[in-house]
Each structure stands twice: as structure tokens, then as C-alpha cells.
Amino acid sequence: MTSATFRPLLAARRMLLLHCPLLLLLLPLSSRTQKLPTRDEELFQMQIRDKAFFHDSSVVPDGAEISSYLFRDTPKRYFFVVEEDNTPLAVTVTPCDAPLEWKLSVQELPEEASGEGSGEPEPLEQQKQQITNEEGTELFSYKGNDVEYFVSSSSPAGLYQLDLLSTEKDTHFKVYATTTPESDQPYPELPYDPRIDVTSLGRTTVTLAWKPSPTASLLKQPIQYCIVINKEHNFKSLCAVEAKLSSDDAFMMAPKPGLDFSPFDFAHFGFPTDNNAGKERGFLKSSSKFGRQTSSKPRVDLHKVCIGNKNIFTVSDLKPDTQYYFDMFAVNTNTNMSTAYVGTFARTKEEAKQKTVELKDGKVTDVFVKRKGAKFLRFAPVSSHQKVTFSVHSCLDAVQIQVRRDGKLLLSQSVEGVRQFQLRGKAKAKYLIRLKGSKKGASVLKVLATTRPNKQSFPSLPEDTRIKAFDKLRTCSSVTVAWLGTQERNKFCIYKKEVDDNYNEEQKKREQNQCLGPDTRKKSEKVLCKYFHSQNIQKAVTTETIRGLQPGKSYLLDVYVIGHGGHSVKYQSKLVKTRKFC
């Protein structure tokens, strides 16, 4: 049992947190009296309705992250008390290996009892009458697997209720709540550019570099970096990684609903505790071929390495010509809480005998080109053709492309964003494509070659992919924007994200790579999706008014166009700001 568990009971702060089994251990209960201990016993006296309800609920600690477990379709409820009006409040919920549905609500504190100051606990039945049966006022709700949070600079006094539900499978999660968010700051801060750079790429090695967390460089707090390598996808939280690493043990030994189990038994089925923070089963030991450490039960194709406070690392012993996904997490070793950098992916070099990548007709191929590096692609149509179309989507920085047909140079251009090139075909012709990386950094691309004009995975785009905002139509709660379409009917989805007032164009360029589609966005950021086209290219323009915005706030708007093949392309982001006074 850690000091963080007892801190809410000892410190004179505003918010109450305690897990029910712990309360049963700490409080001498009788059949006549039963109270929740608070930081101010005289201010808040409350009694739960019955023992069964009390045992199945939890109270959240102020300023400490807790880990817990959800059975599928079995809701779980947490409580905490804010004892004073105008109190700052921040609540963060981290799903681990399954999406969650969660809701935060508040109801008024019960009136203080007439026996206040007597020093005697109230009878059980009398305290029961102080509990309202109402659900309370809903403050926030969310459904998904993102790390989501609720923040308020001035919250009312009341009994706060956090309800969580997993409808997909048994899972575990983390909750953090605090009434002093400005001073606590337990999660490491990300740098202005949170991307991971691939600085060197070999057949069996990838070197990664990233900017240090300001929590370490400016605030001088102890930060260590943990790298996660796998072949499937990027992870949104370190909790999700640890759940994957220990999933076999966690679900095999999870208790059944209705059985008593202690929160301190979580370590027995995959939950790390503060006492073994440095020995988490997910951390890699010295026998790992990735470097210093390996998990006690290594998972196939999923590895985690913690490397201290260095901001450059070479991953070794990888397979040639294999795509890997890399995630970086900054971990505050004082709090054991983490923040995710923007993940990346890279394909290791082919064996020396394989100098080119073969493109298949009509199939999109992912290509990685290191900084100042080059990549060769080959396209050899199996049948005669009149035309050949090359579609290139540069996800990060611009690249130089050259196309040769049977040794003759047909095309040499710089590509940024999405470009399509249609060239005249020739019987039995072979095409060699050379991609040259920029001096700024590594490049990630998606390339499609086809001899069938109707076989297009990439959506058609107008020449101008900017989003136009109408200044005169701005209000305190809405903005009106327009963008161009094409003669081809495509699906357009628009997303909004509130940003700080000092957010600028340079920061906008540092957003994660443009090949990530709307499936990577939070559902709360989605405005709408619609289909649009016009046979008259001069009239292929659409407008949309985005409502429900806050006065004087800045928002980053993104429009995604989704083609028939499912591939999406993002228009240039647009920064807008609502009027402060109307």
C-alpha cells in the first residue's frame, strides 16, 4: 500500500478519494453508524445506501492516478467530493486495451446534519436520507479509446460521479483527478514538435530522435523515455502497451464479477503497482535483442525499451524490408505517469540484392525515404496499355520524383501533398521511379501505379486544397468556410480542434503526418461528413457553417476527402478564430 493511497486521507485538500475495500479496512464499522471519511468531517457527512452498493463503488483520490478493471457490460462507478465552490478540477481517463464509455456528473452536497459539532457519528438511517436518488447534472461524456479529459477552472461544490462501461471486452483503465491541476502537472509535457524523427535507416537498424520534454529540460523533473516497437499499429498510451504485453496473464487470472477482490491484488493479473514500478513486466531486460531489457514473457512482435533521459536511440536486430511502428512515451519517474509523442513508422531497407520495390497494378504501397536518401520503385505492367497513372501522396516533407520508361526520362518534379501523373503507355514497357528525400527530414509516402484509369484508390483533388474562411460571416459561436471539390463524387468530412491563441502556421506544419486519416481523430472533433461534386468545375465549391463554438477562441479546421478505395487525403489545415464580442 503506497503513500499515494493514504495521501487523500491525511492531507487537508478539497477532494476525497478512496477505494471501497480500503475503506472497509480503515474504518471501524458498526451496524448503527457508517460514514465516508473526508478531509473535513464536519463539512461533509454522508452514508451510502447499503453495503453492497458501497462495496461495488469507489472513491477517487485527489492528485493520484489509480488503475482498475472493468468486466464487459458491467458498469463501474467512482465518486469524489469537491467541498468548495469555484474549485479547479481536472479528470483524466485512460483506456488501456478497449474503448470505454464514460460520463462525469455532479449533484449537490446533502445539507449538514442538525447534530453538527456533537462529535458523534449520525445513525445510519438518518444519514441515508441525505443521499439523493437523482442522477445529477451531466458535465461531460465520451466514447472511444483516446486519452480524454475534463478540465474546469471553476467547479461547484458537490458529489461528483464518474461512470465507466466497456462494451467490447474485459479491460482495465486508469483514472486521474485533481483539484490543483496548475501545480500538480503529473503528466510530462510534450515539446513544441512532438514527432519522432527517423534519422537513420538500415536493413536491420532504425535510429530515432526526438525533442526532449520541457518537463525535463525546463522544470528539471526526472523523465525517462520508453520506446515501443511493433509491426501492427501505433499505440495511444503506455497503458495500452502494457495491457498488450501482459494480456495473457491479465485476462486468464481476472476475478469473476461478484467475487471479492482487493485492489492490491491487481498485480496478480497484470496491473503494475507502485512497489514494482521499476520491475514492470512490460519493461525489457538485458537479454533483449533490442538493447538493454526484455519482458519476462515477451510478446510476439511487441517490445518496450526504457532508455533513461537520452533523446536518440538505435533499434537493432530488425528484419530487412519490414515495416515497423515506433512509439515514444515520456515517463515522469516521480509519478510514474506518461505522455505519448506522435508515433511514426518506417520500413527497413531491403537486402542488398533487392534494389527496387516492385509496384503492383492498382495497389497502394507505403514507402519510407530517409533524409537525403533515395528509394527506387519498379512498375512492369503485365498487359499492353495506352496510359499509366502514378499517384503519389507525400505524408510529411516534399520529395523529388523521377520517372523513366525503358531508361528514358519522362518526368522530374517535386511532390508535396497528393499529385497524380498520367503518362503515355507503351507495349511491354518498364517504369523506374526514383524518390529522393528532402534535406529537412525523412519522408513517408503512399504510391499507386495503375494502367486502369478507373482503378483509383486516391480521391481526385482540385488544384487548390486550401480552406477559405469568410471573415465577415464570423460570429461569437460560428465560422463559415468553403473549399473546392471536383467533378468526381467524393465524401468530405470536416473536423475542428480548439487550440491556444498563440497557435501559428509553423506549429500547424508540425502536425502528425498527412496520411493519417479521420479514423485517427477524436469523435468529439467531428463536425459532419457529406458527399459533394459538380459537373461544372467552375461551380465545384461547397460552404459549411460550423456552429457551437466558444467566443474569442481559436480553432484548427481540417477537411478530409475520402476516395472510393477508402484512402483519405487531408486538405491544408485552416486556423480560424471566433469573435470575442457580438
Side-chain angles (χ1 to χ4, degrees), residues 80-93:
F80 57 88
V81 173
V82 174
E83 298 175 341
E84 297 176 10
D85 284 328
N86 303 317
T87 297
L89 176 64
V91 178
T92 302
V93 177

Side-chain angles (χ1 to χ4, degrees), residues 211-435:
K211 293 178 173 58
S213 165
T215 305
S217 58
L218 299 179
L219 301 181
K220 305 302 181 183
Q221 293 189 26
I223 296 294
Q224 76 166 343
Y225 299 99
C226 295
I227 302 173
V228 175
I229 308 105
N230 79 104
K231 297 180 182 179
E232 297 178 1
H233 56 78
N234 290 110
F235 287 88
K236 296 181 179 181
S237 69
L238 193 54
C239 175
V241 175
E242 292 166 347
K244 181 74 172 178
L245 285 168
S246 59
S247 59
D248 286 349
D249 293 338
F251 294 107
M252 288 296 290
M253 302 181 65
K256 296 180 180 179
L259 297 182
D260 293 343
F261 63 95
S262 166
F264 309 111
D265 291 334
F266 282 179
H268 297 301
F269 55 95
F271 290 89
T273 65
D274 290 343
N275 292 333
N276 67 348
K279 304 176 182 178
E280 291 178 34
R281 64 176 68 201
F283 283 75
L284 304 175
K285 299 179 183 177
S286 57
S287 61
S288 170
K289 66 180 183 177
F290 282 101
R292 305 177 177 179
Q293 304 167 324
T294 186
S295 62
S296 57
K297 290 186 177 181
R299 300 286 297 167
V300 176
D301 296 330
L302 177 63
H303 302 268
K304 184 176 78 171
V305 187
C306 293
I307 61 170
N309 60 3
K310 297 189 299 182
N311 64 335
I312 186 170
F313 184 75
T314 298
V315 184
S316 58
D317 294 316
L318 302 176
K319 294 181 179 179
D321 193 26
T322 303
Q323 182 160 299
Y324 290 91
Y325 294 86
F326 303 94
D327 292 287
M328 173 62 57
F329 301 92
V331 182
N332 187 325
T333 56
N334 281 343
T335 64
N336 204 32
M337 297 165 77
S338 60
T339 304
Y341 278 59
V342 176
T344 189
F345 63 90
R347 179 174 290 273
T348 50
K349 287 184 176 181
E350 299 173 328
E351 295 288 359
K353 60 181 181 180
Q354 300 176 349
K355 296 183 180 181
T356 60
V357 175
E358 293 290 338
L359 297 178
K360 294 184 178 180
D361 198 332
K363 183 179 179 181
V364 176
T365 301
D366 293 319
V367 180
F368 175 82
V369 183
K370 68 179 182 179
R371 178 175 174 266
K372 297 183 180 180
K375 180 75 72 174
F376 291 91
L377 314 176
R378 183 175 177 269
F379 181 53
V382 295
S383 59
S384 60
H385 56 284
Q386 294 183 341
K387 294 181 180 180
V388 60
T389 301
F390 294 96
S391 299
V392 180
H393 187 179
S394 179
C395 309
L396 298 173
D397 294 311
V399 296
Q400 188 75 20
I401 181 173
Q402 288 184 350
V403 179
R404 295 177 183 271
R405 184 185 64 201
D406 297 331
K408 181 181 178 181
L409 182 64
L410 302 179
L411 173 71
S412 180
Q413 285 191 26
S414 178
V415 175
E416 189 171 7
V418 177
R419 292 290 302 275
Q420 288 186 346
F421 306 98
Q422 195 169 78
L423 306 175
R424 183 176 299 176
K426 185 178 179 181
K428 299 181 180 181
K430 294 179 176 58
Y431 300 86
L432 183 66
I433 302 97
R434 180 179 185 267
L435 300 172

Side-chain angles (χ1 to χ4, degrees), residues 65-66 68 70 92-102 142-149 164-166 168-169 171-176 187 235-244 271 329 338:
E65 186 178 60
I66 61 170
S68 192
L70 274 177
T92 302
V93 177
T94 304
C96 292
D97 51 342
L100 295 181
E101 299 178 22
W102 63 273
Y142 174 73
K143 181 179 180 181
N145 58 356
D146 283 311
V147 180
E148 191 57 85
Y149 55 88
L164 303 104
L165 176 67
S166 173
E168 287 193 7
K169 63 177 182 178
T171 183
H172 59 291
F173 61 93
K174 294 186 178 183
V175 175
Y176 173 78
Y187 295 97
F235 287 88
K236 296 181 179 181
S237 69
L238 193 54
C239 175
V241 175
E242 292 166 347
K244 181 74 172 178
F271 290 89
F329 301 92
S338 60

